[in-house]
């Protein structure tokens, strides 16, 4: 996937608002929002305004929840809305996974930034669906030539069937090579997971 980023969005104080149709299934929006609201743990939000294809722009933030509403009337569709206050700024990066279900250890397709960057960045990892009976390890790798990849960000190992999200900084001054990809490693077991991963260059 090829995408040259023409701009950089960094809002040190901002909010993210989400709205859509109510879904009360075990993996639906209501379960996720209801679990997030009132939590003392900050929420890692990844929003893909153009769609969730590999290499598309992702707006990300580490946030506190501020509101969640479910509304509707008799005979009408039930809607939900939520709002989050960013604690570390609202930033713009690129998606390194498409949100597809993955059933086996894999090296994802690389995303080409057209050039390396030299000031670190931040990786975001979310696992909203996970039926794996073994552990899951997500790693962001980088490469200068799209051939030899090395680890850049290694997220915390996820235990069987656990749902999680994580934000990990790459320190200022670190070179991030031109190509990025997601490496997903499964321990022995079965099932699938649906990772959503994004990286912001600085």
């Amino acid at each position: 996937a090829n995408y040259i980023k023409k701009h950089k969005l960094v809002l040190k104080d901002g909010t993210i608002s989400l709205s859509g149709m109510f879904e009360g299934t075990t993996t639906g929006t209501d379960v996720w929002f209801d679990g997030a609201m009132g939590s003392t743990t900050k929420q890692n939000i990844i929003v893909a305004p153009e769609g969730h294809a590999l290499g598309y722009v992702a707006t990300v933030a580490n946030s506190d929840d501020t509101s969640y509403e479910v509304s509707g009337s008799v005979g009408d569709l039930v809607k939900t809305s939520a709002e989050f206050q960013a604690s570390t700024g609202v930033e713009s990066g690129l998606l390194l996974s498409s949100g597809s279900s993955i059933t086996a250890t894999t090296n994802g397709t690389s995303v080409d930034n057209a050039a390396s960057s030299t000031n670190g960045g931040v990786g975001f990892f979310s696992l909203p669906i996970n039926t794996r009976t073994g552990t899951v390890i997500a790693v962001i790798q980088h490469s200068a030539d799209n051939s030899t990849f090395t680890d850049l960000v290694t997220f915390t190992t996820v235990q069987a069937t656990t749902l999680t999200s994580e934000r990990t900084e790459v320190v200022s001054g670190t070179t991030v090579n031109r190509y990025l990809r997601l490496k997903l490693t499964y321990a022995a077991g079965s099932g699938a997971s649906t990772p959503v991963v994004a990286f912001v260059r600085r």
Side-chain angles (χ1 to χ4, degrees), residues 94-131:
L94 298 179
L95 289 172
L96 303 182
S97 65
S98 63
S100 298
S101 179
I102 299 175
T103 58
T105 293
T106 186
N107 292 326
T109 302
S110 64
V111 172
D112 184 2
N113 191 64
S116 65
S117 53
T118 59
N119 201 33
V122 58
F124 277 75
F125 166 55
S126 177
L127 198 61
I129 301 173
N130 181 24
T131 63

Side-chain angles (χ1 to χ4, degrees), residues 7-164:
H7 66 282
K8 181 167 182 62
L9 171 65
V10 182
L11 300 176
K12 293 304 181 183
D13 182 27
T15 61
I16 292 180
S17 300
L18 307 173
S19 63
M21 297 297 105
F22 175 86
E23 184 183 6
T25 64
T26 56
T27 58
T29 55
D30 182 62
V31 172
W32 189 90
F33 282 132
D34 192 53
M37 294 301 113
S39 172
T40 56
T41 302
K42 294 185 183 298
Q43 307 299 318
N44 297 305
I45 307 299
I46 304 173
V47 180
E50 299 176 334
H52 55 75
L54 187 72
Y56 275 28
V57 171
T59 300
V60 298
N62 182 248
S63 310
D64 295 302
D65 58 86
T66 56
S67 69
Y68 174 51
E69 297 180 357
V70 178
S71 61
S73 57
V74 176
D76 195 9
L77 294 174
V78 179
K79 300 179 181 180
T80 61
S81 62
E83 188 164 287
F84 298 84
Q85 175 69 48
S87 58
T88 55
V90 178
E91 300 184 271
S92 178
L94 298 179
L95 289 172
L96 303 182
S97 65
S98 63
S100 298
S101 179
I102 299 175
T103 58
T105 293
T106 186
N107 292 326
T109 302
S110 64
V111 172
D112 184 2
N113 191 64
S116 65
S117 53
T118 59
N119 201 33
V122 58
F124 277 75
F125 166 55
S126 177
L127 198 61
I129 301 173
N130 181 24
T131 63
R132 289 295 303 179
T133 58
T135 58
V136 178
I137 300 175
V139 177
I140 295 175
Q141 296 187 312
H142 64 154
S143 171
D145 59 5
N146 204 28
S147 177
T148 301
F149 283 83
T150 58
D151 295 351
L152 178 67
V153 177
T154 300
F155 296 102
T156 303
T157 298
V158 181
Q159 300 303 311
T161 69
T162 299
L163 308 183
T164 189

